[in-house]
Amino acid sequence: MRIFISTGEVSGDLQGSLLIKALQRQAAATGLTLEIIALGGDKMAEAGAKILGNTSGIGSMGLIESLPYVIPTLRVQRQAIAHLKENPPDLVVLIDYMGPNLGIGTFMKENLPDVPVAYYIAPQEWVWSMSFQNTNRIVGFTDKLLAIFPEEARYYQQNGAKVSWVGHPLIDRMANAPSRTTAREKLGVKVEEIAIPTERFAIALLPASRHQELKYLLPIIFQAAQNIQSKLPNVHFWIPLSLEIFRQPIEKAIQDYGLQATIVSGQQQEVLAAADFAITKSGTVNLELALLNVPQVVVYRLHPLTAWIARHILKGSIPFASPVNLVVMREIVPEFLQEQATAENITQAAMELLLNPEKRQQTLTDYQEMRHCLGELGVCDRTAKEILKMYI
């Protein structure tokens, strides 16, 4: 069975790799042999896919921010469509990555209508849709939509899609996450408990998985870290590297802001599990932290012109940016967006979560409520079964 998978960015590469492993497990159980060609990254390649184009570093959020990626995106999209023309697969799986996947999905409907298309982790039109045009396109070319959020399932079902709610794949991934003690031992974080833990806080900083975030998020997150360090001199910051090319600018920023910080490569789960607290960009990592019971402050900024166009011309608004808050549609973790994303606001919220036991406990209690909305273990295998059923 020949499957074509299309995704992009760091998070898509991770989700694609988890799905590929599950597809191979389920295929083996039914006597199928899989050949998987993909747009993705190194994690998907390690999981067994042949990578047609590496898209893990191609991606952005926002109108102005996307301009540098227009040509690389169109190039990889054309490459994928040319491959599909010459080598029609038995099945296509699209994962997030809205721009290119809209083009690939439309091509499939118009040129290879007999090849089923599954959309897994569909674009978050249910959060920020400003027109039904994209929703209608997605519903039009998707034979089965595999939703990871209950609200996502409801939205697409109401708009005519054939939907299965499978749950969130991080439930599976985080089931094997290291314990706090194990993670701290691996990283060399001091393990012993002390009566007043403020002296030895380990704080994770997650400023960027996209290039634009180095510009818009890293300075305010690092300024907040500097503020916290001035109040808690023995704090140590841990920064997991999402892409190796980010190492040099992050090292320079650590030096510029005088932070007591360690960059870690290839051990993001350990960093998150070991942390007392995190300051992070909005994204999938927010859910990882929540599932590890790590309090967090979420930050996001776009180019000011992008924000202005979205507000005043497209008349867009979003209820929340962090998936932790979106799951339950209320604020569990503080999030600061655009003008509110200042070092002062981040510092104030961080100090409260670090030093106020009641506030911290409320966050952990709310995390448990959110956890119940993410489904049960076995998400990736359920998803793989649904996908293979489209062929078998």
Side-chain angles (χ1 to χ4, degrees):
M1 180 182 178
R2 300 169 67 242
I3 300 177
F4 182 84
I5 300 177
S6 172
T7 189
E9 303 194 280
V10 172
S11 62
D13 184 34
L14 169 61
Q15 305 299 0
S17 69
L18 297 174
L19 178 61
I20 289 165
K21 290 171 187 173
L23 284 167
Q24 288 169 335
R25 281 195 299 271
Q26 295 303 319
T30 55
L32 272 175
T33 302
L34 300 184
E35 179 190 37
I36 299 174
I37 310 293
L39 297 181
D42 293 341
K43 286 186 172 65
M44 289 171 69
E46 288 165 16
K50 180 183 176 185
I51 301 300
L52 184 68
N54 193 318
T55 56
S56 60
I58 304 176
S60 60
M61 179 75 76
L63 302 169
I64 305 302
E65 294 83 350
S66 66
L67 293 177
Y69 300 99
V70 170
I71 291 173
T73 299
L74 288 173
R75 188 182 299 129
V76 80
Q77 187 184 54
R78 278 199 295 264
Q79 191 179 358
I81 287 171
H83 174 83
L84 290 165
K85 271 183 188 173
E86 291 177 22
N87 309 277
D90 296 306
L91 188 72
V92 169
V93 181
L94 308 176
I95 304 175
D96 201 0
Y97 209 37
M98 180 158 138
N101 281 346
L102 282 180
I104 291 168
T106 302
F107 167 81
M108 294 303 299
K109 183 185 178 185
E110 292 174 354
N111 297 276
L112 295 167
D114 296 331
V115 177
V117 174
Y119 216 132
Y120 174 50
I121 312 180
Q124 289 189 328
E125 292 290 293
W126 54 281
V127 177
W128 39 257
S129 178
M130 286 171 270
S131 78
F132 284 106
Q133 184 179 352
N134 287 335
T135 298
N136 291 336
R137 283 181 72 185
I138 292 163
V139 171
F141 62 64
T142 300
D143 296 287
K144 183 173 283 186
L145 192 142
L146 302 160
I148 62 172
F149 295 112
E151 193 59 39
E152 172 194 357
R154 281 192 289 272
Y155 173 83
Y156 281 106
Q157 200 156 27
Q158 285 168 1
N159 283 285
K162 185 179 179 183
V163 178
S164 292
W165 177 54
V166 291
H168 202 291
L170 282 182
I171 291 292
D172 291 355
R173 175 170 158 77
M174 302 313 288
N176 299 315
S179 69
R180 181 180 176 80
T181 303
T182 302
R184 288 193 156 209
E185 284 172 352
K186 273 191 178 181
L187 295 173
V189 180
K190 290 188 183 297
V191 179
E192 64 265 24
E193 295 295 327
I194 51 178
I196 304 173
T198 56
E199 293 298 307
R200 292 185 188 146
F201 279 127
I203 298 179
L205 301 181
L206 299 119
S209 63
R210 301 181 178 108
H211 289 273
Q212 71 188 66
E213 291 159 352
L214 290 174
K215 179 177 180 181
Y216 296 119
L217 300 184
L218 186 144
I220 51 171
I221 288 176
F222 276 35
Q223 180 61 61
Q226 187 185 63
N227 295 347
I228 293 166
Q229 185 173 285
S230 70
K231 298 171 189 292
L232 305 170
N234 292 327
V235 73
H236 194 86
F237 300 100
W238 296 85
I239 306 167
L241 208 57
S242 55
L243 292 170
E244 188 59 38
I245 51 174
F246 293 168
R247 182 182 293 276
Q248 192 276 328
I250 290 175
E251 282 178 345
K252 183 177 185 304
I254 288 170
Q255 198 170 23
D256 290 347
Y257 287 89
L259 299 183
Q260 294 155 186
T262 302
I263 297 175
V264 179
S265 184
Q267 288 183 295
Q268 176 158 311
Q269 268 201 351
E270 283 78 5
V271 171
L272 303 187
D276 295 299
F277 177 74
I279 304 173
T280 171
K281 53 158 279 179
S282 172
T284 304
V285 71
N286 305 154
L287 287 173
E288 292 184 71
L289 288 161
L291 292 171
L292 289 165
N293 280 325
V294 178
Q296 60 188 295
V297 171
V298 177
V299 185
Y300 214 81
R301 264 186 177 176
L302 296 165
H303 190 289
L305 183 55
T306 295
W308 188 89
I309 292 170
R311 287 169 181 164
H312 299 283
I313 297 178
L314 301 178
K315 305 293 183 186
S317 65
I318 59 171
F320 297 104
S322 167
V324 173
N325 295 336
L326 283 169
V327 170
V328 292
M329 283 294 175
R330 68 180 181 84
E331 185 175 290
I332 289 177
V333 298
E335 55 178 58
F336 298 108
L337 312 179
Q338 217 55 26
E339 298 85 0
Q340 295 302 311
T342 65
E344 292 71 29
N345 284 343
I346 298 166
T347 304
Q348 185 177 345
M351 294 302 292
E352 190 174 1
L353 280 165
L354 283 165
L355 302 181
N356 183 332
E358 289 180 9
K359 184 82 173 173
R360 191 178 182 86
Q361 185 54 51
Q362 185 59 55
T363 299
L364 302 185
T365 302
D366 289 343
Y367 279 168
Q368 293 310 306
E369 179 195 340
M370 183 219 70
R371 162 69 182 80
H372 293 308
C373 300
L374 296 180
E376 300 301 322
L377 272 172
V379 172
C380 295
D381 284 294
R382 278 198 298 278
T383 304
K385 284 177 184 175
E386 291 275 358
I387 289 168
L388 293 177
K389 272 196 295 188
M390 297 171 72
Y391 172 72
I392 298 168

